[in-house]
């Protein structure tokens, strides 16, 4: 026997404690009701609510019981039944960390012995473990089976509302007559998930179900029954028990889709299949609970009849049962479909509904019909890709489908294929278009026959009506067309050299407007060489210059000129024509030597070189050529000789062994092979130079021999002139810069300018001798170098020594009259302390000012102690500026 306890530890004052007690049904029962030491096993499980502390277990009767650290309690000695019932066993759980403890009480009872009777349920079906021999069973019991027998399954209805546990069968063994057995079951639903559905009484063997079953969840259970003695020894071989869950009608049919979509062509015959709807039922499909039946509950709209469709009640297939489907009248039907289980029994079956939407698809049962029998249009002649008329049709079929799209075909009135009728994809109109130019002079009107059909053929039994054919009348508008030159271009062949005013040909144009009385005038449009003239009325072409095949405007002996022909229409029209003149060659060009220049050494080796001739004419008016030297000058034939190598080449050789350096022009007479041969004296320029050991002219000799051309000489002169202009501009700029520098030296500070310190009030001198002095020394005293004026070593005795300038007080630009005295005193102090100043009362010679001056001496200003002997009262008469001086020097001593 064992017990299982579960403790739930909490920190709050109210601690929940749950105890589970289980009695082991297979522990041996002693006759004296004494439990052996190993027959008692008690397990305590403590749940610490995540605290994690170490818990120690203790029991209240340590002499009889012992508890391990894992919570297993063992009996330490044999116990009697009276001992078990006497005192309850107390289990204590103590937390070693905070010394908290929890406890529970366990009452122990001995197992049920053979002397105790277990009440049995009456009327239960019994299942016996098969024995090793076959015995007949008693009345009211199942027949014993051999080991290869199959126990019939046990049927249990689902969703039972009876009391639970509900007994199912009783499992028995014939070995329970002489000893106590314990029964158990294993498998899913017992000791395997889902657990707790089936239990078996360990002594009586009654198998019971503990809760309602759901067949849709688990349809059957496979259990295995066991029988052991009290020591746990297997008494019987395990037997398999199959428990089938009997289905009940507890599930409604469910459609796979709530809305079903189907299509059917219009005009379909009765019996045409549309679609199939499907519903499922979770109940057993082998029973009436899962057998479904379908029916159509309603149809919308009920046109042309209320029973346009029917449904197979078993398969759910929908078909048509009536004719008259017309998309143009009813484009869509909506059906309500009902599915019922119990084979469609409306009283006991469960039902569900879904919606079937059937769209009637279009077929080509309506041909296109023109809106008018005749369409009209007009087009100017010679115009292409112009829409002449729009053909409109009506079609009752579904727009933008092959049964609605119209194709237009011209069946008459256009044998040359000048028109086409494409379809406008948006409006479905036919666009009568001109694809080839139309000539008013050939045909003034066109009458076309056009047939309209659809992209797909009409449905069987439908024929095209008369309205599917229309007539298109097109009027051609006459326009002023351009005159046409014939042929264009016109080719003529002429010999070159035709003289001016020679008639060439007549180049005229034709006016295609036969029904218009118009005149044509001709003008020259393009004549690159300006050789031709055309008569404006007749188109007669004459020359105004000599035709030359060698002209640069002639390409491959062909000269082209373009002429313009204009009619007198309103507005006038014009056309162009090209005249091509193929010029035949004549011998009108004399040959000339080539190359025109060559060079050779003073002592040539070899002493000859090859020459040829160029002729602007073609063969036979060109080569072969005849070469000979001219008779003059006489030294030509004396120094040179010419030898013909072939029809086009000759060799010019030097007769003498040495020729002085220089440029020689050798006249050569060349004659071509024309019918009337032409000769020409051509000069060959030979440059004779000194050569190196390789036979090449030296650089100096090249330069001398080559000379300078006119362009090179002009370029050199321009460079020299530009260089001289730049030099002249630089000199002018330097002079101007010096003048600006001298002008800046005159702009000195007004405080340093002597002219600001000398105020001329009136003549202070005597006669003319006083005017003999140099004023420039007073204007710019700083610019005059003393050493440059007088010899070195000759100085005036009262001249200031060459020492650094002392720092004298600076006079303000506009001083206050009261500050003059302070300014003079500060100046005196600075002069007294100036080592470069002359001695007191010394003679300072500035310049001779003449005799008899009434002005007093200025030397008294150099000392403040010499003013008492003079009278300064006259300063008051000089104005307010001198009154301060009169007060300073003319007052009393105090």
């Amino acid at each position: 026997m064992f017990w299982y306890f579960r403790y739930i530890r909490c920190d709050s004052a109210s601690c929940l404690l749950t105890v589970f007690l289980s009695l082991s049904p297979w522990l041996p029962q002693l006759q004296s009701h004494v439990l052996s030491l190993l027959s008692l096993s008690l397990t305590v499980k403590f749940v610490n609510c995540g605290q994690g502390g170490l818990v120690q277990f203790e029991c209240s009767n340590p002499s009889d019981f012992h508890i391990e650290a894992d919570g297993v309690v063992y009996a330490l000695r044999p116990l009697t039944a009276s001992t078990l019932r006497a005192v309850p066993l107390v289990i204590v759980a103590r937390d070693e960390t905070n010394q908290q403890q929890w406890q529970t009480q366990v009452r122990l009872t001995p197992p049920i012995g053979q002397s105790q009777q277990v009440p049995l349920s009456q009327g239960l079906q019994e299942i016996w473990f098969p024995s090793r021999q076959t015995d007949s069973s008693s009345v009211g019991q199942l027949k014993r089976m051999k080991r290869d027998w199959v126990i019939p399954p046990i049927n249990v209805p689902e969703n039972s509302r009876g009391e639970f546990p509900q007994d199912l069968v009783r499992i028995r063994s014939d070995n329970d007559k002489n000893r106590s057995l314990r029964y158990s079951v294993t498998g899913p639903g017992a000791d395997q998930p889902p657990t707790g559905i089936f239990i078996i009484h360990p002594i009586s063997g009654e198998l019971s179900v503990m809760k309602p079953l759901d067949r849709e969840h688990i349809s059957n259970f496979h259990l295995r029954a066991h029988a052991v003695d009290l020591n746990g020894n297997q008494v019987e071989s395990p037997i398999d028990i199959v428990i089938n869950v009997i289905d009940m009608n507890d599930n409604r049919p469910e459609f796979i889709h709530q809305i079903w979509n189907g299509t059917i062509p219009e005009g379909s015959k009765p019996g045409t299949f549309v679609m199939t709807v499907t519903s499922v039922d979770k109940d057993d499909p082998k029973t009436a609970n899962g057998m479904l039946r379908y029916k159509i509950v309603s149809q919308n709209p009920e046109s042309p009849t209320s029973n346009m469709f029917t449904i197979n009640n078993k398969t759910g297939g929908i078909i048509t049962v009536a004719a008259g489907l017309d998309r143009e009248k009813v484009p869509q039907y909506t059906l309500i479909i009902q599915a019922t289980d119990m084979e469609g029994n409306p009283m006991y079956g469960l039902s569900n509904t879904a919606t079937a939407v059937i769209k009637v698809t279009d077929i080509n049962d309506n041909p296109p019909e023109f809106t008018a029998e005749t369409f009209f249009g007009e087009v100017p002649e010679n115009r292409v890709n112009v829409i002449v008329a729009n053909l409109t049709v009506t079609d009752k079929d579904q727009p933008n489908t092959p049964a609605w799209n119209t194709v237009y075909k011209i069946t008459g009135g256009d044998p040359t294929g000048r028109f086409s009728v494409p379809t406008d994809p948006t409006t479905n109109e036919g666009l009568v278009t001109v694809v080839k130019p139309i000539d008013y002079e050939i045909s003034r009107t066109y009458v076309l026959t056009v047939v309209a059909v659809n992209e797909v053929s009409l449905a069987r039994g439908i024929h095209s009506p008369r309205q599917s054919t229309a007539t298109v009348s097109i009027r051609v508008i006459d326009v002023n067309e351009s005159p046409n030159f014939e042929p264009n271009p016109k080719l003529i062949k002429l010999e070159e050299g035709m003289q001016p005013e020679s008639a060439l040909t007549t180049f005229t144009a034709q006016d295609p407007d036969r029904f218009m009385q118009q005149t044509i005038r001709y003008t020259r449009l393009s004549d690159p060489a300006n050789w031709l003239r055309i008569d404006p009325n007749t188109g007669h072409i004459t020359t105004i210059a000599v035709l030359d095949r060698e002209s640069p405007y002639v390409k491959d002996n062909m000269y082209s000129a373009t002429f313009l022909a204009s009619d007198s229409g309103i507005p006038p029209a014009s056309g162009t024509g090209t005249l091509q003149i193929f010029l035949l060659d004549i011998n009108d060009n004399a040959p000339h030597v080539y190359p025109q220049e060559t060079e050779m050494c003073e002592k040539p080796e070899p002493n000859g070189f090859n020459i040829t001739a160029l002729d602007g004419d073609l063969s036979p008016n060109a080569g072969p050529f005849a070469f000979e030297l001219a008779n003059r000058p006489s030294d030509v034939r004396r120094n040179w000789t010419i030898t013909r190598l072939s029809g086009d080449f000759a060799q010019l050789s030097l007769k003498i062994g040495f020729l002085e350096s220089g440029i020689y022009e050798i006249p050569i007479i060349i004659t071509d092979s024309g019918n009337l041969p032409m000769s020409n004296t051509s000069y060959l320029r030979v440059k004779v130079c000194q050569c190196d050991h390789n036979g090449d002219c030296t650089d100096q000799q090249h330069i001398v021999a080559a000379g300078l051309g006119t362009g090179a000489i002009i370029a050199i002169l321009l460079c020299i002139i530009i260089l001289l202009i730049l030099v002249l501009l630089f000199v002018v700029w330097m002079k101007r810069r010096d003048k600006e520098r001298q002008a800046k030296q005159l702009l000195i500070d007004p405080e340093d300018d002597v002219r600001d310190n000398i105020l001329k009030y009136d003549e202070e001198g005597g006669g003319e001798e006083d005017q003999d002095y140099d004023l420039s020394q007073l204007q710019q005293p700083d610019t005059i170098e003393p050493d440059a004026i007088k010899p070195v070593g000759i100085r005036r005795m009262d001249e200031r020594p060459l020492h650094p300038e002392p720092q004298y007080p600076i006079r303000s630009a506009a001083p206050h009259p009261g500050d003059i005295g302070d300014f003079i005193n500060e100046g005196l102090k600075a002069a007294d302390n100036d080592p470069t100043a002359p001695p007191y009362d010394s003679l300072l010679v500035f310049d001779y000012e003449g005799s008899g001056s009434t002005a007093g001496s200025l030397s008294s200003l150099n000392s403040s102690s010499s003013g008492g002997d003079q009278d300064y009262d006259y300063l008051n008469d000089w104005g307010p500026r001198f009154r301060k001086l009169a007060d300073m020097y003319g007052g009393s001593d105090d």
Side-chain angles (χ1 to χ4, degrees):
M1 176 168 34
F2 71 88
W3 289 265
Y4 173 75
F5 298 92
R6 184 180 181 187
Y7 289 80
I8 302 177
R9 184 181 72 178
C10 302
D11 292 336
S12 60
S14 59
C15 182
L16 300 179
L17 183 61
T18 306
V19 180
F20 300 95
L21 179 62
S22 300
L23 296 178
S24 178
W26 55 82
L27 293 180
Q29 181 182 9
L30 302 178
Q31 294 293 334
S32 58
H33 306 289
V34 177
L35 297 178
S36 64
L37 182 62
L38 297 177
S39 64
L40 179 61
S41 175
L42 184 146
T43 302
V44 178
K45 183 177 180 182
F46 186 82
V47 181
N48 59 4
C49 297
Q51 297 299 321
L54 183 60
V55 179
Q56 184 178 3
F57 299 100
E58 297 178 358
C59 64
S60 61
N61 190 359
S63 60
D64 296 335
F65 300 96
H66 172 70
I67 184 169
E68 297 289 341
D70 56 358
V72 180
V73 181
Y74 299 96
L76 300 178
R77 60 183 181 85
L79 302 175
T80 61
S82 60
T83 303
L84 295 176
R85 297 190 182 96
V87 181
L89 182 63
V90 178
I91 304 300
V92 178
R94 179 179 291 105
D95 191 340
E96 294 183 354
T97 303
N98 51 18
Q99 298 302 320
Q100 282 186 302
Q101 66 179 18
W102 299 266
Q103 66 179 16
T104 185
Q105 294 183 359
V106 180
R107 295 188 179 276
L108 306 177
T109 58
I112 301 176
Q114 290 181 347
S115 59
Q116 295 173 309
Q117 299 295 327
V118 178
L120 300 177
S121 301
Q122 302 297 325
L124 276 182
Q125 181 183 7
E126 292 184 351
I127 297 177
W128 291 82
F129 279 92
S131 61
R132 299 183 183 274
Q133 293 83 18
T134 302
D135 297 331
S136 59
S137 60
S138 59
V139 180
Q141 295 179 347
L142 292 177
K143 184 179 181 180
R144 291 187 180 181
M145 295 176 293
K146 297 182 180 179
R147 293 188 178 274
D148 56 349
W149 289 356
V150 178
I151 301 176
I154 302 172
N155 296 326
V156 180
E158 67 171 335
N159 302 324
S160 176
R161 298 183 180 179
E163 296 181 357
F164 294 99
Q166 180 179 355
D167 297 333
L168 301 179
V169 294
R170 181 181 296 113
I171 299 176
R172 298 294 302 276
S173 173
D174 53 1
N175 292 323
D176 62 356
K177 296 180 180 180
N178 51 9
R179 52 181 171 173
S180 296
L181 300 181
R182 295 296 179 263
Y183 300 98
S184 63
V185 290
T186 59
D191 61 343
Q192 297 178 15
T195 60
I197 297 179
F198 300 98
I199 64 171
I200 189 171
H201 196 280
I203 299 177
S204 63
E206 293 180 356
L207 181 64
S208 304
V209 60
M210 301 299 295
K211 62 177 69 174
L213 303 180
D214 187 0
R215 190 203 67 86
E216 287 71 36
H217 184 215
I218 300 177
S219 60
N220 54 66
F221 296 88
H222 293 268
L223 304 178
R224 174 162 288 193
H226 305 270
V228 298
D229 58 14
L230 295 181
N231 292 324
N233 299 321
Q234 180 176 323
V235 178
E236 299 283 358
S237 297
I239 61 175
D240 294 329
I241 300 176
V242 178
I243 300 176
N244 291 330
V245 182
I246 304 302
D247 182 45
M248 304 295 291
N249 191 17
D250 57 345
N251 291 281
R252 291 181 177 274
E254 296 291 339
F255 282 92
I256 297 177
H257 304 290
Q258 194 60 34
I259 298 178
W260 297 78
N261 295 308
T263 59
I264 185 172
E266 62 177 334
S268 297
K269 296 180 179 181
T272 303
F273 175 79
V274 181
M275 63 178 175
T276 300
V277 296
T278 305
S279 179
V280 295
D281 197 321
K282 296 181 181 179
D283 293 328
D284 190 357
K286 298 179 181 180
T287 65
N289 300 331
M291 296 181 180
L292 306 181
R293 296 295 182 266
Y294 301 93
K295 72 174 182 178
I296 299 176
V297 178
S298 64
Q299 169 190 311
N300 184 33
E302 298 179 353
S303 175
T305 63
S306 59
N307 296 321
M308 293 295 296
F309 304 92
T310 185
I311 187 171
N312 189 311
N313 63 346
K314 293 183 179 180
T315 63
I318 301 175
I319 61 176
T320 60
V321 294
L325 292 175
D326 191 349
R327 189 202 63 84
E328 288 73 29
K329 295 181 180 179
V330 181
Q332 178 176 297
Y333 290 90
T334 302
L335 307 180
I336 304 298
I337 310 300
Q338 183 184 65
T340 306
D341 57 14
M342 298 299 293
E343 297 182 312
N345 192 323
M347 184 175 297
Y348 303 104
L350 302 177
S351 301
N352 210 339
T353 60
T355 302
V357 178
I358 302 175
K359 292 184 179 180
V360 181
T361 58
D362 187 37
I363 64 172
N364 194 11
D365 58 345
N366 294 281
E369 297 179 359
F370 284 101
T371 58
E373 293 183 358
T374 304
F375 295 88
F376 298 93
E378 59 182 20
V379 60
E381 63 175 333
N382 300 322
R383 297 283 299 275
V384 295
N385 298 325
V386 178
I387 298 177
V388 179
N390 290 16
L391 310 182
T392 56
V393 296
T394 59
D395 196 322
K396 297 179 180 179
D397 293 323
Q398 185 175 358
N400 301 317
T401 62
W404 179 81
N405 297 333
T406 304
V407 178
Y408 300 89
K409 298 179 181 180
I410 299 176
T411 60
D414 185 23
T416 57
R418 298 183 181 275
F419 299 91
S420 68
V421 188
T423 304
D424 189 330
T426 304
T427 62
N428 207 27
E429 294 180 352
L431 308 178
V432 181
T433 307
V434 180
V435 295
K436 293 182 180 180
I438 300 175
D439 192 356
Y440 174 83
E441 286 70 28
I442 296 177
S443 178
R444 302 183 182 182
T445 59
Y446 288 87
V447 179
L448 308 179
T449 302
V450 181
V451 175
V453 296
N454 292 122
E455 291 182 355
V456 296
S457 302
L458 291 173
R460 183 177 300 179
I462 305 298
H463 301 283
S464 297
R466 181 177 55 83
Q467 291 81 2
S468 296
T469 303
T471 301
V472 182
S473 179
I474 302 173
R475 184 175 67 90
V476 182
I477 302 175
D478 188 17
V479 296
N480 187 19
E481 301 177 76
S482 301
N484 298 325
F485 284 91
E486 291 294 339
N488 191 13
K490 183 176 182 180
L491 176 64
I492 61 174
K493 293 183 178 181
L494 299 172
E495 285 188 353
E496 65 172 332
M498 292 190 66
Q499 298 302 315
E501 302 301 331
S502 299
L504 296 184
T505 185
T506 301
F507 195 22
T508 59
Q510 303 297 327
D511 192 351
D513 298 319
R514 294 179 299 172
F515 302 99
M516 296 183 183
Q517 300 299 325
Q518 299 181 141
T519 59
I520 298 178
R521 295 185 62 84
Y522 303 95
T523 57
R524 186 180 59 177
L525 185 62
S526 173
D527 184 11
N530 197 21
W531 287 346
L532 307 176
R533 178 177 62 233
I534 187 171
D535 188 277
N537 298 318
T538 63
H540 186 66
I541 298 176
T542 58
T543 62
I544 58 176
V546 178
L547 303 184
D548 187 7
R549 191 196 62 82
E550 291 75 28
S551 171
Y553 301 103
V554 177
K555 305 297 182 182
D556 298 331
N557 302 329
M558 190 74 69
Y559 179 77
S560 298
T562 305
F563 299 93
L564 181 69
S566 303
D567 60 17
S568 58
I570 300 175
S574 60
T576 59
T578 302
L579 177 64
Q580 295 179 342
I581 304 175
F582 187 86
L583 296 176
L584 301 176
D585 185 40
I586 63 174
N587 193 12
D588 58 345
N589 291 279
H592 60 273
V593 68
Y594 182 84
Q596 295 180 354
E597 294 183 2
T598 185
E599 61 182 24
M600 63 183 302
C601 299
E602 293 178 342
K603 296 180 179 180
E605 290 182 4
N607 61 351
F609 48 87
N610 297 336
I611 61 174
T612 187
L614 296 179
D615 195 329
D617 296 326
L618 300 177
S619 180
N621 297 320
F625 302 101
F627 300 90
E628 63 177 333
L629 294 176
N631 294 325
R632 294 184 181 276
S634 60
D635 59 347
V636 173
R637 288 181 175 268
R638 184 174 60 250
N639 296 333
W640 302 90
T641 181
I642 189 168
T643 304
R644 182 177 179 181
L645 299 179
S646 63
D648 295 332
F649 292 92
Q651 187 178 55
L652 182 65
S653 303
L654 186 65
K655 290 183 177 181
I656 59 179
F658 175 81
L659 188 64
E660 186 179 357
S661 298
I663 299 176
Y664 300 87
E665 291 186 353
I666 302 173
I668 301 174
I669 301 174
I670 305 175
T671 305
D672 61 18
S673 301
N675 189 12
L676 296 176
M678 294 190 67
S679 298
N680 179 35
T681 301
S682 181
Y683 289 87
L684 175 63
R685 189 177 186 184
V686 180
K687 301 175 183 178
V688 181
C689 60
Q690 297 179 359
C691 298
D692 55 11
H693 62 281
N694 295 324
D696 299 328
C697 290
T698 60
D699 294 339
Q700 182 177 2
Q701 292 298 329
H702 270 293
I703 296 174
V704 173
L708 294 176
T710 304
I713 295 175
I714 294 175
I716 293 175
L717 293 177
L718 289 176
C719 292
I720 295 174
I721 293 173
I722 293 173
L723 183 61
L724 293 175
I725 293 174
L726 292 177
V727 172
L728 181 61
L729 291 176
F730 179 75
V731 172
V732 172
W733 177 74
M734 290 296 295
K735 289 183 174 296
R736 183 175 181 180
R737 183 180 177 185
D738 293 341
K739 290 182 179 180
E740 291 178 354
R741 185 182 301 172
Q742 293 176 2
K744 289 181 180 179
Q745 292 179 355
L746 296 175
L747 301 177
I748 60 177
D749 194 339
E751 295 179 2
D752 298 333
D753 196 351
V754 179
R755 293 174 296 180
D756 293 341
N757 298 329
I758 299 177
L759 302 178
K760 182 179 180 182
Y761 293 96
D762 203 352
E763 284 293 336
E764 298 179 351
E768 296 178 356
E769 64 275 8
D770 294 337
Q771 305 298 328
D772 189 11
Y773 54 85
D774 188 6
L775 293 178
S776 63
Q777 298 182 8
L778 298 177
Q779 294 175 354
Q780 294 181 348
D782 295 336
T783 61
I784 300 177
E785 297 293 335
D787 296 339
I789 299 174
K790 51 191 174 181
V792 179
I794 301 176
R795 301 178 63 85
R796 288 167 37 183
M797 60 180 301
D798 58 347
E799 187 177 357
R800 293 173 55 186
L802 300 178
H803 292 288
E805 291 290 336
Q807 296 296 328
Y808 284 87
I810 300 175
R811 178 184 175 185
S812 60
H816 192 273
D819 297 336
I820 296 178
D822 298 336
F823 175 77
I824 293 176
N825 292 330
E826 292 177 1
L828 290 175
K829 292 180 180 180
D832 293 339
N833 297 325
D834 185 6
T836 63
Y840 299 135
D841 297 331
S842 63
L843 179 61
L844 299 178
V845 180
F846 294 96
D847 207 344
Y848 182 75
E849 298 179 355
S851 60
S853 176
T854 58
S857 176
L858 298 178
S859 62
S860 61
L861 296 176
N862 294 333
S863 176
S864 60
S865 62
S866 61
D869 298 335
Q870 300 184 19
D871 184 10
Y872 295 99
D873 292 336
Y874 63 91
L875 295 177
N876 294 324
D877 300 332
W878 288 8
R881 293 187 177 182
F882 295 89
R883 287 178 184 175
K884 186 66 175 177
L885 291 175
D887 295 340
M888 293 173 58
Y889 294 92
S892 59
D893 295 336
D894 55 353

